[in-house]
Amino acid sequence: MFRYDTPMTVRGRMGNHGIVLMGLSRSGKTTAGRCLAQSLGYHFYDTDELITKTTGLTPRCLYIEKGTEAFYRAEAEALQYCAQWIRHTDDPDVNDTGISRMPVIAAGGGLCDNSAALKILPAISYRFFLYAAEAVLFSRLSIDAEKTGAYPAFLQSLPVECRQTAHLFFSELYKRRTDAYFDLCTDIIETDGLTCAETAAQIAGILSRRAK
């Protein structure tokens, strides 16, 4: 268990600023986000989980069945829901369990392509890019594809047998989205070789030092 300060101490010094973890699919945003939220005493939100809850469809199924525009609309609405809990005041919204409604958000891997969602990002002060090497991410995607029989929709839902073609698609997407997240985020965390808990610890350390 990592600890830089008590949650209330860090939260008090940080003020009320939301935190969003961004990056390509399978970079560890959800698991690291849960660890970070627990450490800080913040509330954790996953935009993919919110999309499923509000639409009744997983992001993959929504994209395939309803199309790109419906998916982008649902994603922007999910991010807006998370951002509404940000209070730029010294009086945080904390429930009787000591958990703040201030958000730690795990964003979807393609959020950088969603113009409506990008308009919401400036309201979130701390934007961390969880960077991972292309080979690492594609390996994780391929392991998932072997389980489901196909790559995700952003790789054309190619069958697992089309690994080489999927890799070509992913290489182009990786470069474009990585460049976008370098520009959009306030901080970069190189996650190669780190567990998700260690990634969260690095973020907590940055926040703790910045709050002093």
Side-chain angles (χ1 to χ4, degrees):
M1 176 66 179
F2 57 89
R3 188 178 299 277
Y4 287 86
D5 279 296
T6 64
M8 289 300 291
T9 300
V10 174
R11 209 161 59 209
R13 290 202 305 257
M14 281 175 55
N16 290 328
H17 299 285
I19 301 162
V20 61
L21 308 187
M22 305 173 72
L24 279 78
S25 181
R26 300 304 181 268
S27 59
K29 301 182 297 290
T30 296
T31 306
R34 290 189 194 280
C35 291
L36 181 64
Q38 183 178 19
S39 173
L40 296 177
Y42 273 29
H43 196 88
F44 176 72
Y45 300 91
D46 183 300
T47 58
D48 284 350
E49 292 178 358
L50 287 171
I51 288 170
T52 300
K53 183 176 180 180
T54 57
T55 68
L57 296 170
T58 65
R60 175 185 286 206
C61 289
L62 179 64
Y63 187 92
I64 292 171
E65 295 181 21
K66 303 296 184 180
T68 304
E69 291 305 314
F71 171 76
Y72 282 166
R73 183 167 56 252
E75 183 175 52
E77 289 172 356
L79 187 64
Q80 183 61 59
Y81 173 82
C82 299
Q84 75 173 328
W85 297 106
I86 298 172
R87 303 284 187 268
H88 296 290
T89 171
D90 291 330
D91 182 22
D93 178 11
V94 180
N95 64 28
D96 56 10
T97 67
I99 302 297
S100 172
R101 295 293 294 187
M102 291 293 293
V104 171
I105 307 161
L111 186 131
C112 61
D113 295 330
N114 187 337
S115 60
L118 293 182
K119 293 176 182 178
I120 302 165
L121 274 183
I124 306 170
S125 300
Y126 298 111
R127 302 184 293 277
F128 289 90
F129 173 30
L130 303 195
Y131 172 84
E134 177 183 338
V136 171
L137 295 179
F138 187 71
S139 176
R140 293 172 183 169
L141 288 166
S142 295
I143 290 171
D144 288 346
E146 288 171 4
K147 296 175 183 177
T148 63
Y151 285 91
F154 62 81
L155 294 180
Q156 311 298 317
S157 300
L158 287 166
V160 66
E161 294 80 12
C162 298
R163 182 186 177 104
Q164 186 173 2
T165 303
H167 198 179
L168 290 173
F169 277 120
F170 183 71
S171 291
E172 185 279 328
L173 181 137
Y174 176 87
K175 183 181 186 309
R176 180 171 56 78
R177 288 186 176 176
T178 295
D179 288 346
Y181 285 127
F182 272 124
D183 290 338
L184 289 168
C185 293
T186 59
D187 296 270
I188 314 299
I189 304 294
E190 295 195 15
T191 64
D192 290 344
L194 298 180
T195 66
C196 288
E198 289 167 341
T199 297
Q202 282 205 12
I203 296 171
I206 291 171
L207 295 172
S208 180
R209 291 190 298 271
R210 194 165 291 169
K212 292 180 178 178

